């Protein structure tokens, strides 16, 4: 069973700052199956990144993903007011679908 | 544009049953795997189940295996989730989700969700 751990639990930042979110897998996984979502309270999740680094359609280029093996990172280069939300990583592979617990990015 | 509209949520007693529906439009429904993902109040996302586009395969999270059944009617562009033996821990918003590509495991489109509350 692959378990995803996200850190930090909460990230307190100001608009314009850089956000770096971590997702760690309990065993090495293919980056092809590592995904990031954004969820604003009261809304459905929004796909940001798939294949570890491929931006979904319509996602601004301030969002970027990287990583391999067990360690993956979502970076928001300069936070906009609409970016304060919860971010989840997800792994999918061999009909296994699992989400991380999430990182909340809130206003400092 | 792609639309996914869930319905069928509500309040049900422990041990009871409920059927959720997800009406799909704006894409070729019969060509896509479909998934259910849930979110308990104040908690994170939990994948529940998926069904292959041609109904040839389905898979369940351990937490719902043997109690929930996913199905689809490709002639009606509708996805279903039949939930039996409901427990308090099944209380959640249930989302249907469409993959980016036919059988991919990442979800580009989501419904607005339907709330299921299991309580006596």
């Amino acid at each position: 069973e692959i378990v995803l751990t996200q850190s930090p639990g909460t990230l307190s930042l100001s608009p314009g700052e850089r956000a770096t979110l971590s997702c760690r897998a309990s065993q090495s996984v293919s980056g092809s199956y590592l995904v990031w979502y954004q969820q604003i309270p009261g809304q459905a999740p929004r796909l940001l990144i798939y294949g570890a680094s491929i931006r979904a359609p319509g996602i601004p280029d301030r969002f970027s993903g990287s990583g391999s093996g067990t360690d993956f990172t979502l970076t928001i280069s300069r936070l906009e007011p609409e970016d304060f939300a919860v971010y989840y990583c997800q792994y999918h592979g061999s009909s296994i679908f699992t989400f991380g617990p999430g990182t909340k990015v809130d206003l400092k | 544009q792609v639309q996914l509209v869930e319905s069928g949520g509500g309040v049900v007693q422990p041990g009871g049953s409920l059927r959720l529906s997800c009406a799909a439009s704006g894409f070729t429904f019969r060509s896509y795997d479909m998934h259910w993902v849930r979110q308990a109040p104040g908690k994170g996302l939990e994948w529940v189940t998926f069904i292959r586009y041609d109904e040839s395969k389905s898979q369940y999270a351990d937490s719902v295996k043997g109690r929930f059944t996913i199905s689809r009617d490709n002639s009606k562009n509708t996805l279903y989730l039949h939930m039996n033996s409901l427990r308090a821990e099944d209380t959640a918003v249930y989302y249907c989700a469409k993959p980016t590509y036919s059988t991919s495991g990442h979800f580009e489109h989501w419904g607005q969700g339907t709330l299921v509350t299991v309580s006596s």
Side-chain angles (χ1 to χ4, degrees):
Chain A
E1 180 192 359
I2 292 172
V3 177
L4 299 178
T5 304
Q6 293 187 241
S7 62
T10 301
L11 196 53
S12 297
L13 294 168
S14 301
E17 289 193 292
R18 182 184 187 89
T20 302
L21 287 67
S22 172
C23 176
R24 179 162 290 177
S26 58
Q27 59 188 272
S28 184
V29 299
S30 169
S32 298
Y33 305 127
L34 199 288
V35 186
W36 290 94
Y37 298 90
Q38 175 196 65
Q39 188 179 33
I40 293 168
Q43 297 185 16
R46 175 192 182 194
L47 177 65
L48 295 177
I49 301 281
Y50 63 93
S53 61
I54 303 169
R55 272 189 300 277
I59 300 303
D61 60 7
R62 65 179 180 274
F63 292 92
S64 62
S66 63
S68 63
T70 60
D71 293 306
F72 297 88
T73 300
L74 174 71
T75 302
I76 310 171
S77 59
R78 294 174 312 279
L79 281 165
E80 298 287 341
E82 61 268 28
D83 299 337
F84 291 92
V86 181
Y87 292 84
Y88 295 95
C89 59
Q90 179 215 346
Y91 170 77
H92 62 94
S94 302
S95 297
I96 297 169
F97 306 88
T98 187
F99 289 92
T103 290
K104 182 179 182 180
V105 178
D106 68 9
L107 201 52
K108 189 174 182 181
Chain B
Q1 72 280 21
V2 172
Q3 275 204 304
L4 300 169
V5 180
E6 301 96 336
S7 61
V11 180
V12 59
Q13 292 190 338
S17 299
L18 211 55
R19 187 186 79 164
L20 305 183
S21 300
C22 171
S25 60
F27 65 103
T28 306
F29 180 74
R30 65 179 181 273
S31 297
Y32 285 81
D33 293 355
M34 291 296 295
H35 297 249
W36 289 98
V37 177
R38 69 183 180 183
Q39 187 169 36
K43 303 297 184 182
L45 301 170
E46 179 188 16
W47 175 81
V48 176
T49 180
F50 97 100
I51 186 167
R52 188 67 80 199
Y53 59 91
D54 61 359
E55 302 181 74
S56 61
K57 180 177 180 177
S58 59
Q59 192 116 353
Y60 299 88
D62 288 344
S63 58
V64 306
K65 202 172 292 184
R67 300 187 298 121
F68 289 14
T69 302
I70 190 171
S71 65
R72 63 192 296 161
D73 186 336
N74 286 343
S75 68
K76 295 182 178 179
N77 291 348
T78 303
L79 176 73
Y80 302 101
L81 183 64
H82 307 258
M83 305 185 293
N84 295 323
S85 304
L86 283 161
R87 306 167 180 167
E89 53 265 36
D90 296 318
T91 294
V93 174
Y94 285 74
Y95 295 100
C96 64
K98 168 194 166 291
T100 308
Y101 308 110
S102 176
T103 60
S104 62
H106 42 88
F107 314 129
E108 185 176 3
H109 296 98
W110 299 67
Q112 84 288 350
T114 188
L115 176 61
V116 173
T117 302
V118 184
S119 173
S120 54

